[in-house]
Amino acid sequence: MAGLDLKSLQKSYGAVEVIKGVDLKVEHGEFVVFVGPSGCGKSTLLRMIAGLEDISGGELWIAGKLCNAVEPRDRGIAMVFQNYALYPHMTVYDNVGFGLKLAKTPHDIRDAKIREAARILQMEHLLERKPSQLSGGQRQRVAIGRAIVRKPEVFLFDEPLSNLDAALRVDMRMELSKLHQDLGATMIYVTHDQVEAMTLADKIVVLNAGVVQQVGAPMELYQRPANLFVAGFIGSPKMNFIAVNIEAMGEGQLTVSGRDLAARTVSSTTAGLKIGDAMTLGIRPHAMLSQDAGPVTGRVALVERLGNETNVNVELPSGAAMLAVLDGDRPLKPGQAISFGFDPAATVLFDAAGQARQGAV
Ligand code: ADP
Ligand code: MG
């Protein structure tokens, strides 16, 4: 069983700490996605698991074995990179089998493994081609094939789709999901694309500046983000944030208001808070409802009519921007006044430290 256990894992380059004590359990067969902005440490963390970077502190356990000092090739893992450097002079068949040949795997076993990988990846008809005769998606499949023939217990992917065009990315995403189902292997996948994270993951790990912000199932993170960072990162289009202050406090609820919001009562934990404290109210664009004399009023700045829905960019009284996604076609005009309501149960309230005080469900 190839689960992983990361205990206070830490990485520094000289005086610069890049991974700041990551604790994480990955179950056998799980598809885990590391997501976060560029430079947050995703690749470094993955490379530490692979054994391509030394571990500065903490413990890395793979399949019940402490692996801090274990050679990469002995960790039972295979890694697929964004730049899937294939050997240009070799056929697909030889590219896929190259590692096995190096390991002196007997010819008939090697042949069977290559053909099995080609069958799984539906590229049996491509085996005699050279990389230059393949599309980007086909090359990426060859790179994955190279990983499959090694029968690893854990697959590591570092942004494997980011060199592909948008339509192909969607196709490959579905293929990867299917591959995961077929192989039942543990997979750890790095991306900066929250849509990839939402669609592929059993479990998402949101990283920022080398610190885990939240770990959970995609819908858990979407519906109950732990803090402002996760709330702003997960979900597309992005959650709206409205600056408010506490006007009144009750049992498990707060009444908040601000320049951009008439007083509204929402459920919240109240410990450590007092009247007047600054808070942030988060509302997803899809939760905004066009309504006369609603609590949020502004001016239409820009309208995008998509037919099935309408994106309305609104300038609020404070000058802050807000986005509402309304059902159907709304022939609104820039400059006109507009007012919105929302279901208080679909909001998330954050305190001044950016921690969620109550999550939408
Ligand atoms: P991500 O994959 O999330 O974009 P990386 O893991 O590649 O981020 O990098 C995380 C941070 O570590 C970045 O700030 C990067 O500049 C730094 N970093 C990566 N490799 C090195 C290195 N060899 N020496 C010094 N700093 C590095
Ligand atoms: Mg990276």
Side-chain angles (χ1 to χ4, degrees):
M1 297 297 269
L4 289 90
D5 199 355
L6 282 55
K7 296 183 178 170
S8 308
L9 219 53
Q10 193 261 336
K11 173 75 185 174
S12 301
Y13 292 108
V16 183
E17 195 179 12
V18 174
I19 299 294
K20 300 170 184 166
V22 167
D23 290 298
L24 179 70
K25 274 195 189 346
V26 176
E27 307 297 336
H28 174 77
E30 219 172 12
F31 199 129
V32 173
V33 176
F34 295 170
V35 70
S38 183
C40 71
K42 306 179 295 294
S43 294
T44 304
L45 190 55
L46 200 69
R47 292 168 60 82
M48 289 161 76
I49 295 169
L52 302 173
E53 296 282 353
D54 290 339
I55 293 169
S56 310
E59 294 177 354
L60 169 68
W61 294 79
I62 302 175
K65 184 173 159 192
L66 182 61
C67 283
N68 287 44
V70 173
E71 287 294 318
R73 64 171 177 277
D74 299 326
R75 293 188 185 194
I77 48 145
M79 187 150 166
V80 179
F81 298 91
Q82 175 181 352
N83 297 314
Y84 32 82
L86 303 178
Y87 299 106
H89 58 286
M90 287 185 199
T91 61
V92 167
Y93 183 95
D94 289 333
N95 264 288
V96 171
F98 188 66
L100 299 176
K101 197 169 181 179
L102 277 188
K104 302 208 178 358
T105 309
H107 178 269
D108 51 337
I109 294 176
R110 196 167 82 219
D111 184 69
K113 287 187 167 182
I114 295 169
R115 293 191 186 280
E116 167 70 1
R119 187 188 60 74
I120 292 169
L121 294 168
Q122 293 169 17
M123 56 177 196
E124 287 150 302
H125 59 297
L126 303 175
L127 286 173
E128 296 316 315
R129 290 204 198 167
K130 299 271 177 65
S132 62
Q133 298 164 312
L134 301 175
S135 70
Q138 290 168 336
R139 281 181 221 170
Q140 188 54 270
R141 247 181 282 170
V142 177
I144 295 169
R146 267 198 313 211
I148 289 179
V149 293
R150 299 182 46 204
K151 279 246 180 313
E153 303 228 49
V154 184
F155 284 85
L156 305 179
F157 294 95
D158 193 353
E159 310 224 14
L161 307 186
S162 40
N163 284 349
L164 306 179
D165 66 53
L168 198 52
R169 275 211 300 271
V170 175
D171 289 349
M172 285 298 290
R173 213 161 71 199
M174 289 193 248
E175 284 191 29
L176 279 170
S177 261
K178 192 166 167 301
L179 184 70
H180 178 242
Q181 283 171 23
D182 291 350
L183 300 177
T186 308
M187 295 190 170
I188 304 180
Y189 185 101
V190 160
T191 180
H192 63 270
D193 181 336
Q194 63 90 27
V195 175
E196 266 180 31
M198 293 292 281
T199 50
L200 284 170
D202 296 319
K203 188 154 95 185
I204 295 179
V205 179
V206 181
L207 279 169
N208 188 34
V211 177
V212 173
Q213 301 291 313
Q214 192 172 3
V215 178
M219 281 308 130
E220 231 172 287
L221 302 200
Y222 183 84
Q223 294 172 337
R224 290 185 298 279
N227 56 41
L228 275 175
F229 182 84
V230 175
F233 196 82
I234 298 286
S236 176
K238 203 172 145 338
M239 184 182 270
N240 293 303
F241 296 129
I242 298 179
V244 294
N245 292 89
I246 300 175
E247 205 170 272
M249 302 179 70
E251 181 73 29
Q253 61 180 39
L254 296 175
T255 301
V256 295
S257 65
R259 270 190 81 183
D260 296 334
L261 179 80
R264 271 293 173 278
T265 300
V266 293
S267 63
S268 171
T269 58
T270 55
L273 299 176
K274 59 182 189 308
I275 288 175
D277 279 357
M279 307 281 285
T280 303
L281 185 68
I283 314 174
R284 299 245 177 235
H286 286 90
M288 304 297 305
L289 308 166
S290 171
Q291 183 185 88
D292 287 339
V296 179
T297 300
R299 279 200 182 278
V300 174
L302 189 73
V303 184
E304 296 172 320
R305 293 166 68 184
L306 303 174
N308 61 326
E309 56 187 24
T310 306
N311 297 337
V312 191
N313 287 275
V314 180
E315 188 184 330
L316 298 176
S318 71
M322 189 196 76
L323 176 69
V325 178
L326 304 177
D327 283 344
D329 182 35
R330 313 281 179 120
L332 298 164
K333 293 270 175 295
Q336 81 178 73
I338 190 165
S339 176
F340 297 93
F342 53 85
D343 176 1
T347 61
V348 189
L349 194 59
F350 303 91
D351 62 22
Q355 297 302 308
R357 284 307 190 118
Q358 147 262 8
V361 176

